[in-house]
Amino acid sequence: FSIFGKYTPLVEPLSIDEAFLDVTGSRLPGVPANVDEEGYGAGVAIARALRERVEKETGGLTCSIGIASNTYLAKIASDLQKPRGLVVIPPGEGAAFLAPLPVKRLWGVGPKTAELLRGVKLFKVGDLGRLGEKELQRVVGNEVGSHLYRLSLGLDDRPVETDWEAQSISQETTFRTFIRPGDWDRVERVLFE
């Protein structure tokens, strides 16, 4: 995260090892205007430099990067080529990029919703966009239908959130030996620690 902050102040942590970075206003030193030496936008040049720096300064930690016009598309892109992938979704091509992907790639589509969609022959993200918002609402309800329809088109206008408050704290403990059922004293000791 300290490396991310060297490229943009707009960093939204998602987990201990994942974040959204808005580099719209960022420029890489030595990169003229908005393109690098190969004609790619500054976002690609920044991504390459960031990935190399992370690997160098962490002793080999890799990162996968998705570049897109919104956080939703960037997240999907970053998940597609792990490890060390760099996937670019050009502006305006979100729907075409998403169309061949399975519906379970959409945020909000868990096992039950995926099963419901399969039941009406909706298997790919593009199927949802072609079906249309009103018909999709009939299948999964108004709110979910609108949400999935917009996502199927690659539309998501949420900005990168730099100020957020933790909603929960998580920690896990792995025991070297199994705990006997009913050994509440041992469980309580660990919980209080």
Side-chain angles (χ1 to χ4, degrees):
F1 283 88
S2 65
I3 295 170
F4 296 162
K6 294 183 185 342
Y7 291 87
T8 178
L10 303 175
V11 178
E12 177 182 342
L14 288 182
S15 65
I16 193 168
D17 65 348
E18 193 170 22
F20 289 129
L21 282 68
D22 184 342
V23 297
T24 305
S26 301
R27 294 291 176 257
L28 195 59
V31 176
N34 293 325
V35 295
D36 67 8
E37 65 279 356
E38 296 173 21
Y40 287 102
V44 175
I46 290 169
R48 288 179 176 157
L50 186 138
R51 184 173 59 191
E52 288 174 21
R53 189 168 181 174
V54 167
E55 288 180 10
K56 180 180 176 188
E57 293 183 23
T58 63
L61 186 65
T62 63
C63 56
S64 298
I65 300 173
I67 299 175
S69 57
N70 63 54
T71 55
Y72 161 67
L73 289 173
K75 172 67 174 134
I76 289 177
S78 72
D79 286 342
L80 290 179
Q81 291 185 12
K82 289 186 181 249
R84 209 176 183 278
L86 182 104
V87 177
V88 179
I89 303 175
E93 295 186 24
F97 177 85
L98 294 169
L101 299 178
V103 293
K104 67 181 179 181
R105 285 278 183 185
L106 293 176
W107 285 351
V109 176
K112 289 185 178 189
T113 304
E115 184 180 331
L116 186 61
L117 294 171
R118 281 192 304 271
V120 291
K121 309 287 189 249
L122 299 171
F123 303 101
K124 304 286 183 188
V125 174
D127 297 338
L128 305 183
R130 284 187 295 278
L131 181 65
E133 185 173 7
K134 293 295 180 200
E135 288 299 316
L136 190 54
Q137 287 175 329
R138 285 188 188 106
V139 174
V140 294
N142 288 345
E143 189 175 329
V144 174
S146 290
H147 172 73
L148 294 181
Y149 179 73
R150 287 185 50 75
L151 291 184
S152 76
L153 300 178
L155 303 175
D156 184 26
D157 55 4
R158 290 174 289 180
V160 169
E161 299 279 343
T162 58
D163 295 324
W164 60 278
E165 200 173 308
Q167 299 290 316
S168 64
I169 298 173
S170 174
Q171 180 177 335
E172 65 181 56
T173 300
T174 303
F175 294 96
R176 290 188 177 142
T177 60
F178 285 106
I179 296 176
R180 287 184 298 75
D183 188 353
W184 295 111
D185 290 338
R186 188 168 179 198
V187 171
E188 283 181 353
R189 278 194 306 275
V190 172
L191 287 174
F192 284 120
E193 285 175 16

